[in-house]
Amino acid sequence: MVHLYNLHPFGSQQVVPCKLEPERFCGGGRDALFVAAGCKVEAFAVAGQELCQPRCAFSTLGRVLRLAYSEAGDYLVTIEEKNKATFLRAYVNWRSKRTENSRVCIRMVGHDVEAPLSETFRDQMSIVEMPLSEAPLCISCCPVKGDLLVGCTNKLVLFSLKYQIINEEFSILDFERSLIIHIDNITPVEISFCIGYVAVMSDLEVLILKLESGPKNGESLNHHPPKTNNLGKRAKGISNETLQLESDDFVICQKPMELLGEKSQQSGICVTLESTGLADEKIKYFHVQHLLYRRFAPDISFYVLSDDVKLHSLQLLPIYQTGSLTSDRKNSSQDKQLLSLFCFFSLPHVGYLYMVVKSVELMSVYQYPEKSQQAVLTPQFLHVITSNNLQCYTVRCSAAAAREEDPYVDTTLKACPPVSMDVCALRIQLFIGLKAICHFKNHIILLTKADPETIPERRESPKRVLSRKGTIGNLKTPPVAEAGWNLYIVNTISPVQLYKEMVDYSNTYKTAKTQSCIHLLSEAHLLVRAALMDAGQLELGEKAELLEAFKESCGHLGDCYSRLDTQYSHLALPYYKMSGLSMAEVLARVDWAVEDGLQKYERGLVFYINHSLCENLDEELSEELAAKVVQMFYVAEPKQLPHILCSPSMKNIDPLTAISYLRKLDTSGFSSVLVTLTKAAMALKMGDLDMHRNEMKSHSEMKLVCGFILEPRLLIRQRKGQIVPTEFAIHLKETQPGLLVASVLGLQKNSKIGIEEADSFFKVLCDKDEDTIPQLLVDFWEAQLVACLPDVVLQELFFKLTSQYIWRLSKRQPPDTTPLRTSEDLINTCSHYGLINPWVNVLMSSESLADKNYMEDLSKLQTLWWKKLLPELCHRIKCGGEKHQLYLSSLKETLSIVAVELELRDFINVLPEDGTAAFFLPYLLYCSRKKSLT
C-alpha cells in the first residue's frame, strides 16, 4: 500500500545552459555536474540556489556512451565510441582546465611519469587511457575509495585507485587493474560497486556479491569456487535447451526466482576471481560471497514481449556511521565507516529495495501508477520519472540503518519507526517529456525532450514481433524534425522545511486520532533522522536545527502514541524520552477535558507516566500536576496508585488528597498492606502520629516487611545517584528499629537493594561518616548472618563484624544505640556463633571489663571464631595499610590478656598455625612461667 500526500519536496528550478543537446550527464561531489554531447563534455558548477555556472569544457575521443563521477579522487570516467570501437578513459585534474584549448596530457594506466614531466601535471588535466581486452559495457565508481569497476561480457574488471608520489608535495592519481571477476551466463547492462559489494544487472536478472579479502581455508590467490550443484546445472541446462527450442513460432521463458544469502549460490551462475594486481597490494580479494540472486520473467500476457519490460536503475546506496566533522566540514573518505548498504533496482511498474548488510532482506516494494523510465535512490527519497511525471517516494533506509547502529533501539529508552512501514508518495510533479534523471547532494537533474507526433506504424503479426531472444525487434520510425529539449536542476528543499510541512499536514489528522497521523509524523521523523545520518553534508547551524527538529518530532510521536489506544501505545515512553521533554511539559500537552462526563486516559500516557515515576527521576511535579496524576491512576490503573505516590517526583502531593484516594481503593484485588503503609507514610508527612500508629498496628510485623518489599521507596529513595532515607525510615529508626532492619534485610533478600547500598543507607540514616559504623548497621550485619543470605560473602561479613567488635573493645567505645540482639540470642539463632569457651568467661570476669557492653562485644567476638579471628588479624597486619597499627595493638592487647588468664595448653590451641615465632614467643614464655611466679 502506498500513501499519497501532496507535499512539496521540490523547491527552486534552474536551467543548465548547455550548448548542445545532452546525451549523457552525471553529478557528484560538492558541486560538479557533467554533460556529454557528441564528442564534448561540459562541466558546470552548481552551488546553492544560484544559477548553474559553466566551469570548463573538454573534448572526448568519441561519442560518450557512459560516464560516471567519483568524489574520491575527483575524476570523471567515460566509455567512448569511435569508429565502432569503445574506449575507457578517466579525466583527472579536470578543474585545472581553464579554456577548451588548454593543453591536456594523455597517459596510459600504470605507466610511471618521468620526473621532468611531473610538474606539468600539476596544472594540467590528464586523461588516463585504460585498455581492455573486451569492450566495456558499463562502469561504476566506489563512493568511498574511488575504485573503478568496469562491466564487460561475462566479466567485471576492477581498477584500484592509486597515487603516484612524485615528491613530498605532489602526487598523481592513477589506476591499477587489480581483479577480474568472471561471471558466466550474465551480460551486465548496469553495475554498481561500493566497498567490496558488487551488484550486476542484466535485462531481467540481478546478482549481488561481496568480495572478501584474506584467504579462506587456505585457498590460493586465484579463487575457483566449487562446482555448481544440481540446481545450478539444471539452470544451465534449461538455458542451453531454451536456445535450441526457441524459434520464430514460440519463446520459452524461465520462471521467476529469488534466492537470498547462501541460497543465491544455487542460481547456476559461476563466479571466479582472478587477481591481476601487484603482490604488495594492501587489500586483495580472495573469495566471493553470494548475497542475492533474483530473476524476473517477461510479461507475455498480451502475446507480445516488449523491449521496455526490462530492469533499470541499479544502485547500491551506502549509509555511514555518523562521524565528526573535519576542518572543511565534510567527512573525508578515509573516515567513512559503512553502517548499512541498500540495493535498488526497478521494473517499469515496480521497484525493489533490499538491505544487504549483515542480513539480506527485501525492505520495500514500490508500485508506480505509471510506467517508469528511470529512478535514483537517496538516503531520504526515491525519485522516479515517467514520461510526464517526477515522483518522490519515501524510503526506509534510515530506519534500517538505525537498527544496524543500535540493535536495541526499540526499548523504553529509544525507538524508531519500523522498516516495514508503508511507503508513501510525497509528490507527483508534472514535467513534459522526461527522458533521464540523476541526483547529487540536494539537486535533481532532469532531461526533458518534447516527443514528436507519433506516426502510425505498420502492423506486424505477433509472430514477427516475438523475437528469438524474448525481446521486440526495433520498430523504426521515419526521421522527424528535432524536438525541443531542456536540462533542469530541481533543488529539493531543506529537510527541516519539509519536516515542518509534514507536521502541519499531520494536524489535519490530529483530532481524528487515526493511524494516518502517526504515519505522517513517522515519515517526518525518518526524514530528519536520515539527514542527521548524512551529517557530512551539513553546516553546524543546519545540524543544530535538525537536532531540534528531531527532538520535536519525537515529542509529536510521543503525543500520538499517548493519545491512541493501540498495541503500540507503549512507544509513547521512548519517544517522550528522546524528545527531552520533562514530565511536567508532557502533562501540560495533555487534554484534560472531560468527555460525556467521564474522564478517559489512554494507555500510552498512563504507561509513560507510570514508568517515569518508577525511574526515580530528579524532577518534582507541582502540587496541581501531582493531583492530576493521582486522579489519572485512580481512574485508569488503581493498583498502581500506592506505587506512584511513593515516587520522589510526587513529593509535593497534598497528603490529604492522597489519603482520600487511597481510602476509596478496593483492596480486594491487591495487597492491602501496601495501601496501609502508604497511608501511614502520608499520615506521618502531615504530622498525624495517631493515624500513623493506627495504620501500623493493623498488620503484623511480617506483613509490614512484605509491604516494604513490594515498594522499597517507602524507606529508600535515590536522588542524583545517592541513597536517601525517607521520613518513614527515619521515624522507624527511632520507634521500630527492629522492623526497619528486618525490612532492609527483606529488600536485600529479594534483590531490591545491594550489599553496599544497604550499608550506605544505614550510615546516612544514622548520620555517620564513611569511617564510622553505627550500631544499627552492626545489627543489620548480625541479621544477615542469622538469615544466611546466599548472596552475602561470609568471609567479608565475618571480617566486618569482628573488626567492629575489636575496634569497640580496643577503643573502649560503647555502641551508639542498644544492640537488637544479645550474644545469647545470636548463639541460639545462628550456627555461625559457637559456644563460649571457658577461658572467655575468665576474661569476661575481669574487673576491667565489668561493663555490660564490653562483655557483650567480647562474647560476640568469641568466635565469631576465635581460631579464625587471629589468623585474619595476622593476615591484615602483614598486608599493612592505614589500619596496620590499630590491628597490631589490638592483637598485642588481646594476646597479653589471654596469656595471663589461660593455661599454656589452651593458649597454644588458640594461636594461629602460621606466623612469626618470634612474635608469639614472649607470650608463650609468660604463660608457661606464670604458675612459678604465683
Side-chain angles (χ1 to χ4, degrees):
M1 177 180 176
V2 177
H3 295 252
L4 296 176
Y5 298 110
N6 191 26
L7 299 173
H8 302 84
F10 308 125
S12 62
Q13 178 179 305
Q14 308 174 45
V15 176
V16 181
C18 301
K19 296 179 180 178
L20 299 175
E21 178 181 349
E23 296 176 353
R24 299 283 183 269
F25 55 91
C26 71
R30 301 187 300 272
D31 60 350
L33 172 62
F34 300 93
V35 181
C39 295
K40 182 180 287 188
V41 173
E42 294 181 84
F44 298 89
V46 183
Q49 308 298 322
E50 299 175 3
L51 291 178
C52 180
Q53 300 293 332
R55 173 175 272 146
C56 66
F58 47 88
S59 298
T60 60
L61 183 63
R63 178 170 168 260
V64 177
L65 303 179
R66 300 283 182 107
L67 79 166
Y69 169 78
S70 173
E71 183 176 3
D74 192 25
Y75 68 89
L76 179 73
V77 61
T78 63
I79 298 177
E80 304 172 16
E81 181 185 42
K82 183 179 182 181
N83 298 331
K84 297 184 179 181
T86 54
F87 304 88
L88 182 65
R89 307 176 102 202
Y91 294 81
V92 180
N93 201 24
W94 55 272
R95 295 177 188 269
S96 298
K97 189 169 177 58
R98 300 287 182 255
T99 65
E100 193 169 347
N101 295 326
S102 299
R103 295 183 60 183
V104 174
C105 174
I106 302 178
R107 55 191 170 93
M108 193 68 70
V109 66
H111 284 203
D112 291 334
V113 178
E114 297 180 5
L117 300 176
S118 62
E119 288 300 319
T120 62
F121 286 92
R122 188 187 299 270
D123 299 319
Q124 279 188 10
M125 184 178 79
S126 299
I127 301 176
V128 183
E129 300 272 6
M130 290 179 273
L132 291 167
S133 59
E134 295 186 21
L137 303 176
C138 44
I139 49 180
S140 178
C141 302
C142 174
V144 177
K145 297 184 178 180
D147 297 340
L148 172 64
L149 189 67
V150 183
C152 305
T153 302
N154 291 331
K155 70 179 179 183
L156 309 176
V157 182
L158 177 63
F159 290 88
S160 298
L161 183 64
K162 301 285 186 182
Y163 288 90
Q164 287 189 31
I165 299 176
I166 304 302
N167 53 50
E168 294 181 356
E169 300 178 355
F170 182 55
S171 61
I172 295 176
L173 183 147
D174 199 6
F175 298 88
E176 178 190 356
R177 188 174 69 170
S178 59
L179 183 70
I180 298 177
I181 308 170
H182 297 277
I183 304 180
D184 296 342
N185 300 330
I186 278 191
T187 299
V189 174
E190 292 185 31
I191 58 175
S192 188
F193 182 59
C194 180
I195 322 179
Y197 288 85
V198 177
V200 186
M201 186 180 77
S202 65
D203 285 344
L204 291 172
E205 292 176 288
V206 175
L207 177 66
I208 304 179
L209 309 169
K210 181 184 179 183
L211 304 177
E212 296 184 335
S213 58
K216 182 179 180 181
N217 300 327
E219 291 176 354
S220 60
L221 189 62
N222 290 337
H223 170 67
H224 298 280
K227 294 181 179 179
T228 55
N229 54 25
N230 293 333
L231 177 58
K233 292 179 179 178
R234 287 198 296 272
K236 285 187 177 180
I238 291 174
S239 179
N240 295 332
E241 188 177 336
T242 300
L243 293 176
Q244 297 173 4
L245 293 177
E246 282 181 349
S247 69
D248 290 344
D249 298 320
F250 59 88
V251 174
I252 293 180
C253 299
Q254 297 183 24
K255 294 181 179 179
M257 178 185 295
E258 181 189 45
L259 301 173
L260 303 178
E262 296 180 356
K263 291 184 179 180
S264 60
Q265 295 183 9
Q266 302 172 2
S267 64
I269 297 176
C270 181
V271 180
T272 306
L273 302 187
E274 177 188 349
S275 178
T276 60
L278 299 176
D280 61 350
E281 188 181 353
K282 291 183 179 179
I283 297 180
K284 284 187 175 293
Y285 297 112
F286 285 91
H287 55 277
V288 65
Q289 179 184 355
H290 293 249
L291 299 178
L292 170 69
Y293 173 77
R294 182 150 188 179
R295 181 174 66 213
F296 297 88
D299 185 4
I300 57 173
S301 58
F302 297 101
Y303 306 102
V304 175
L305 294 181
S306 171
D307 264 341
D308 295 333
V309 184
K310 294 179 181 178
L311 291 167
H312 63 76
S313 305
L314 176 69
Q315 184 179 347
L316 288 176
L317 176 72
I319 289 185
Y320 309 103
Q321 291 275 6
T322 304
S324 59
L325 298 179
T326 57
S327 58
D328 59 351
R329 301 194 185 284
K330 305 191 312 296
N331 278 344
S332 62
S333 59
Q334 291 79 9
D335 295 332
K336 290 182 177 179
Q337 293 184 352
L338 186 67
L339 175 62
S340 195
L341 186 69
F342 305 90
C343 182
F344 175 82
F345 50 86
S346 183
L347 285 170
H349 287 93
V350 60
Y352 301 89
L353 179 60
Y354 282 84
M355 181 171 62
V356 295
V357 167
K358 293 186 180 177
S359 63
V360 183
E361 57 181 293
L362 178 62
M363 281 178 43
S364 303
V365 176
Y366 294 86
Q367 301 284 347
Y368 313 134
E370 300 177 35
K371 179 182 174 182
S372 66
Q373 298 181 167
Q374 198 176 351
V376 290
L377 179 68
T378 74
Q380 289 96 354
F381 304 113
L382 173 69
H383 299 288
V384 181
I385 59 169
T386 65
S387 60
N388 293 313
N389 284 318
L390 168 61
Q391 302 173 5
C392 177
Y393 295 89
T394 56
V395 295
R396 303 288 165 255
C397 297
S398 59
R403 284 168 172 79
E404 289 294 323
E405 192 170 29
D406 185 1
Y408 305 101
V409 72
D410 294 315
T411 62
T412 58
L413 295 175
K414 289 171 286 188
C416 184
V419 176
S420 59
M421 188 172 68
D422 291 338
V423 298
C424 71
L426 295 183
R427 183 78 177 174
I428 299 180
Q429 183 74 41
L430 179 64
F431 272 92
I432 303 299
L434 283 169
K435 296 299 180 185
I437 182 174
C438 80
H439 172 275
F440 74 99
K441 211 171 179 180
N442 64 324
H443 308 296
I444 300 170
I445 318 299
L446 298 172
L447 174 62
T448 65
K449 183 177 179 182
D451 290 330
E453 293 181 1
T454 58
I455 298 176
E457 296 148 1
R458 140 176 90 85
R459 287 185 176 272
E460 296 193 22
S461 64
K463 176 178 178 180
R464 297 307 304 166
V465 173
L466 287 168
S467 70
R468 296 182 71 249
K469 297 300 179 184
T471 58
I472 289 188
N474 293 329
L475 302 178
K476 297 183 179 179
T477 59
V480 294
E482 194 68 27
W485 57 267
N486 271 310
L487 191 65
Y488 296 105
I489 298 178
V490 179
N491 299 307
T492 56
I493 66 174
S494 69
V496 171
Q497 185 178 346
L498 182 56
Y499 159 78
K500 291 178 179 177
E501 185 179 352
M502 288 179 164
V503 172
D504 291 341
Y505 199 143
S506 70
N507 290 331
T508 60
Y509 301 102
K510 191 172 183 179
T511 56
K513 296 186 178 180
T514 63
Q515 286 293 333
S516 296
C517 184
I518 289 182
H519 184 274
L520 189 53
L521 287 173
S522 296
E523 296 289 5
H525 177 87
L526 289 179
L527 172 67
V528 176
R529 185 186 281 270
L532 284 170
M533 285 184 170
D534 198 19
Q537 304 292 338
L538 301 174
E539 300 292 332
L540 289 178
E542 292 177 311
K543 187 172 183 180
E545 192 177 17
L546 278 170
L547 286 171
E548 189 62 31
F550 179 84
K551 291 182 179 180
E552 182 187 281
S553 73
C554 292
H556 289 315
L557 284 171
D559 292 342
C560 281
Y561 286 110
S562 68
R563 187 171 66 240
L564 301 180
D565 191 13
T566 70
Q567 59 177 326
Y568 302 109
S569 299
H570 64 281
L571 292 176
L573 175 62
Y575 278 119
Y576 274 142
K577 283 187 177 179
M578 293 163 63
S579 72
L581 294 171
S582 65
M583 268 194 299
E585 290 171 326
V586 170
L587 289 170
R589 298 157 76 106
V590 175
D591 183 10
W592 298 99
V594 178
E595 298 178 3
D596 300 329
L598 296 174
Q599 182 71 58
K600 185 179 181 182
Y601 303 98
E602 302 295 353
R603 285 190 299 173
L605 179 64
V606 175
F607 184 83
Y608 161 73
I609 296 296
N610 188 24
H611 273 261
S612 299
L613 292 176
C614 288
E615 289 179 358
N616 298 321
L617 302 178
D618 293 330
E619 178 186 4
E620 293 181 0
L621 296 177
S622 65
E623 181 179 345
E624 180 184 3
L625 285 178
K628 288 185 176 181
V629 169
V630 170
Q631 179 190 8
M632 177 196 304
F633 278 89
Y634 175 74
V635 173
E637 289 206 20
K639 291 183 180 180
Q640 293 298 322
L641 188 55
H643 295 285
I644 67 111
L645 284 171
C646 295
S647 171
S649 300
M650 299 290 286
K651 178 182 179 182
N652 297 323
I653 185 67
D654 178 25
L656 285 175
T657 301
I659 290 175
S660 66
Y661 277 104
L662 288 170
R663 285 174 175 168
K664 296 177 185 178
L665 289 180
D666 178 11
T667 59
S668 59
F670 57 101
S671 175
S672 60
V673 68
L674 182 56
V675 177
T676 297
L677 287 174
T678 310
K679 287 191 288 185
M682 292 298 162
L684 194 64
K685 185 175 181 179
M686 61 184 183
D688 191 340
L689 296 182
D690 291 335
M691 178 182 174
H692 172 80
R693 281 190 291 267
N694 291 334
E695 294 291 343
M696 295 296 287
K697 289 178 181 178
S698 62
H699 293 281
S700 65
E701 183 172 297
M702 184 173 292
K703 281 194 174 183
L704 293 176
V705 170
C706 293
F708 286 122
I709 294 174
L710 289 174
E711 185 44 80
R713 291 178 298 178
L714 285 164
L715 298 176
I716 303 171
R717 293 178 182 173
Q718 289 192 350
R719 184 175 298 160
K720 296 181 180 179
Q722 301 295 322
I723 294 291
V724 179
T726 64
E727 186 179 352
F728 204 159
I730 296 172
H731 183 74
L732 289 180
K733 168 183 170 286
E734 303 297 334
T735 58
Q736 294 176 277
L739 173 60
L740 179 62
V741 170
S743 299
V744 178
L745 188 67
L747 295 180
Q748 185 182 357
K749 191 173 183 179
N750 289 273
S751 303
K752 297 294 182 69
I753 190 173
I755 297 175
E756 294 182 0
E757 289 177 318
D759 289 1
S760 176
F761 166 76
F762 282 108
K763 288 182 180 179
V764 175
L765 180 67
C766 299
D767 197 20
K768 300 295 182 181
D769 57 35
E770 190 65 28
D771 297 328
T772 305
I773 306 298
Q775 174 58 37
L776 202 59
L777 180 54
V778 177
D779 293 331
F780 177 66
W781 289 342
E782 292 174 348
Q784 285 180 309
L785 274 184
V786 173
C788 298
L789 298 184
D791 60 334
V792 173
V793 181
L794 286 178
Q795 294 301 326
E796 187 67 23
L797 188 57
F798 294 159
F799 178 73
K800 289 194 291 189
L801 279 169
T802 52
S803 297
Q804 184 61 18
Y805 295 151
I806 291 173
W807 181 82
R808 290 206 300 230
L809 287 169
S810 62
K811 295 292 185 180
R812 300 296 190 265
Q813 183 71 38
D816 56 338
T817 58
T818 304
L820 296 178
R821 296 174 183 268
T822 65
S823 58
E824 185 176 353
D825 294 335
L826 293 173
I827 292 171
N828 293 333
T829 58
C830 181
S831 60
H832 296 295
Y833 285 88
L835 295 175
I836 300 177
N837 290 331
W839 58 265
V840 177
N841 291 325
V842 174
L843 289 180
M844 290 167 56
S845 63
S846 171
E847 293 182 1
S848 62
L849 297 176
D851 187 277
K852 180 181 178 182
N853 289 322
Y854 295 148
M855 294 171 60
E856 282 292 322
D857 281 344
L858 187 58
S859 177
K860 290 177 180 179
L861 179 62
Q862 193 276 336
T863 295
L864 271 187
W865 316 273
W866 192 255
K867 288 188 177 181
K868 293 184 180 179
L869 169 63
L870 287 177
E872 184 65 25
L873 272 178
C874 294
H875 174 71
R876 297 284 175 163
I877 291 169
K878 291 177 182 178
C879 292
E882 297 179 357
K883 299 183 179 181
H884 172 78
Q885 291 299 328
L886 173 64
Y887 293 143
L888 186 62
S889 61
S890 298
L891 178 61
K892 287 181 178 179
E893 184 177 357
T894 303
L895 288 175
S896 299
I897 297 174
V898 173
V900 171
E901 302 296 339
L902 292 186
E903 296 293 332
L904 178 61
R905 182 178 60 182
D906 295 331
F907 184 54
I908 293 175
N909 287 335
V910 302
L911 291 180
E913 296 178 357
D914 62 342
T916 305
F919 180 84
F920 297 103
L921 187 58
Y923 301 100
L924 286 168
L925 291 175
Y926 181 83
C927 188
S928 64
R929 293 174 181 172
K930 64 183 177 181
K931 281 192 175 181
S932 60
L933 292 176
T934 55

